[in-house]
Amino acid sequence: MTTVRNRAAGWHRPLMLLVSAMAVLTVVAAVGVVADPRVLTGAPIWAKPLKFAISFVVYGVTLAWMLSLLPRRSRAAERAATVIVAMSVVEMVVIVGQVLRGTTSHFNGTTSLDGMLFSVMGAAIMVLFAAQLVLAVVLSRRSLADRAGEYAVRLGLAVSLLGMVVAFPMVAQTPAGTPAGISGAHSVGVPDGGPGLPLLGWSTTGGDLRVGHFVGMHALQALPLLAILLDRFLGARLDELTRARLVLVGGTAYAALTLLVTAQALRGQPLLAPDALTLGAAAVLVAATATATALVLARRSTSDGRRTRWLPAAPVA
């Protein structure tokens, strides 16, 4: 743990400042959920700041760690990460500010001020998307110490961008019963604020576009974790190329899963109530992934591939 903390101390400073600020906000929002009795769209008014603060902690740590893997510094990547920090702060300022005003931040056009703030959030997200795209391009052009880890980072960034894209239809969803002045919704076929899954709040009566967004964004953590687990438990049995191919299979399947749950939501279908079409598509995805995995393992090299520990390079200032 001491080694990890020492390495983290040298990670991208703006990202780590964002992580620290969001960690503090997580505590504040958690207290707000308990202490503030106000409810907004069927949930405690501080629930959205809490969820976003936790998300930005995980997001910021992951990006800072990915930057630390670069064999040498990249000014373009560091600047893109700094832009991501700035846009994240803009979004959180609007979200918390609207909570303090007692109203919603997303899809809110009930007043000129609310509409302007939502437009600011939309612009911030577009800039953040562009900055992460730059980060993904830079990292895709730099070789890392381990090929499986390299694939995991690249695919994680790419699929997380897909996770952002599948959230865009939210602004076009206006289910019947949506209050006047609200343009857009998380839910499909039912108004926001109805029955939802515990903690997550995803609709249990209609589709919910937050599912695909959540799944896609967490490719940033899931795919590197897959590479780490393959190295830790199968590194002595599988050569580097085989592990890289397995990560490629996993990344492709993860992207397909993101699209599948998004398509399910767009059809107005709750996540836990799939119909025959959704179940059939899921079965095809599982079968295709299993087949691809079996083919990769069947082609694995019989030679003792050189095993390289996947560790960060020198700390990035």
Side-chain angles (χ1 to χ4, degrees):
M1 288 298 293
T2 300
T3 302
V4 172
R5 284 197 298 268
N6 290 339
R7 288 188 181 129
W11 290 356
H12 188 265
R13 190 167 300 170
L15 279 170
M16 296 312 292
L17 287 174
L18 174 68
V19 169
S20 299
M22 291 302 103
V24 172
L25 181 57
T26 296
V27 175
V28 172
V31 172
V33 168
V34 175
D36 192 334
R38 292 179 296 169
V39 174
L40 197 61
T41 61
I45 197 168
W46 284 95
K48 186 178 289 290
L50 177 61
K51 292 177 183 178
F52 271 74
I54 294 172
S55 295
F56 276 123
V57 167
V58 177
Y59 182 63
V61 167
T62 303
L63 292 185
W65 170 73
M66 286 181 172
L67 282 174
S68 77
L69 297 173
L70 287 171
R72 61 183 183 278
R73 290 184 60 175
S74 167
R75 293 189 181 277
E78 291 177 6
R79 289 170 180 169
T82 301
V83 171
I84 288 173
V85 170
M87 295 304 101
S88 301
V89 170
V90 169
E91 184 169 9
M92 289 307 301
V93 166
V94 174
I95 290 173
V96 174
Q98 290 294 74
V99 165
L100 295 175
R101 293 181 64 228
T103 189
T104 57
S105 52
H106 288 68
F107 319 124
N108 191 348
T110 53
T111 69
S112 57
L113 175 60
D114 293 324
M116 182 270 290
L117 290 174
F118 182 51
S119 296
V120 167
M121 289 181 65
I125 289 299
M126 294 302 296
V127 175
L128 186 150
F129 179 89
Q132 184 173 317
L133 180 60
V134 170
L135 194 60
V137 170
V138 172
L139 284 167
S140 70
R141 299 177 66 180
R142 300 291 182 92
S143 297
L144 303 183
D146 177 77
R147 193 182 301 183
E150 186 176 293
Y151 282 18
V153 169
R154 293 175 179 178
L155 287 168
L157 284 164
V159 179
S160 69
L161 287 170
L162 175 63
M164 294 184 191
V165 170
V166 298
F168 290 163
M170 291 181 188
V171 298
Q173 300 297 321
T174 309
T178 300
I182 301 298
S183 178
H186 300 120
S187 304
V188 179
V190 296
D192 281 348
L197 294 176
L199 299 178
L200 297 170
W202 298 339
S203 177
T204 55
T205 57
D208 201 310
L209 291 166
R210 288 174 293 185
V211 180
H213 179 56
F214 178 91
V215 171
M217 287 299 298
H218 284 288
L220 278 172
Q221 294 81 38
L223 296 181
L225 179 61
L226 172 61
I228 290 171
L229 292 175
L230 286 172
D231 176 69
R232 176 68 62 85
F233 296 106
L234 295 175
R237 298 175 59 188
L238 300 178
D239 60 277
E240 184 179 306
L241 180 58
T242 298
R243 287 185 282 115
R245 287 171 174 166
L246 289 175
V247 169
L248 181 59
V249 170
T252 303
Y254 201 97
L257 176 63
T258 301
L259 294 174
L260 175 60
V261 295
T262 300
Q264 180 185 10
L266 287 171
R267 293 170 58 227
Q269 189 178 119
L271 176 66
L272 300 185
D275 62 7
L277 179 60
T278 300
L279 289 174
V284 170
L285 175 57
V286 170
T289 303
T291 300
T293 300
L295 290 173
V296 168
L297 293 175
R299 293 180 57 189
R300 71 182 183 273
S301 173
T302 56
S303 63
D304 293 328
R306 182 172 62 88
R307 186 184 182 194
T308 304
R309 297 300 301 174
W310 188 23
L311 296 174
V316 178

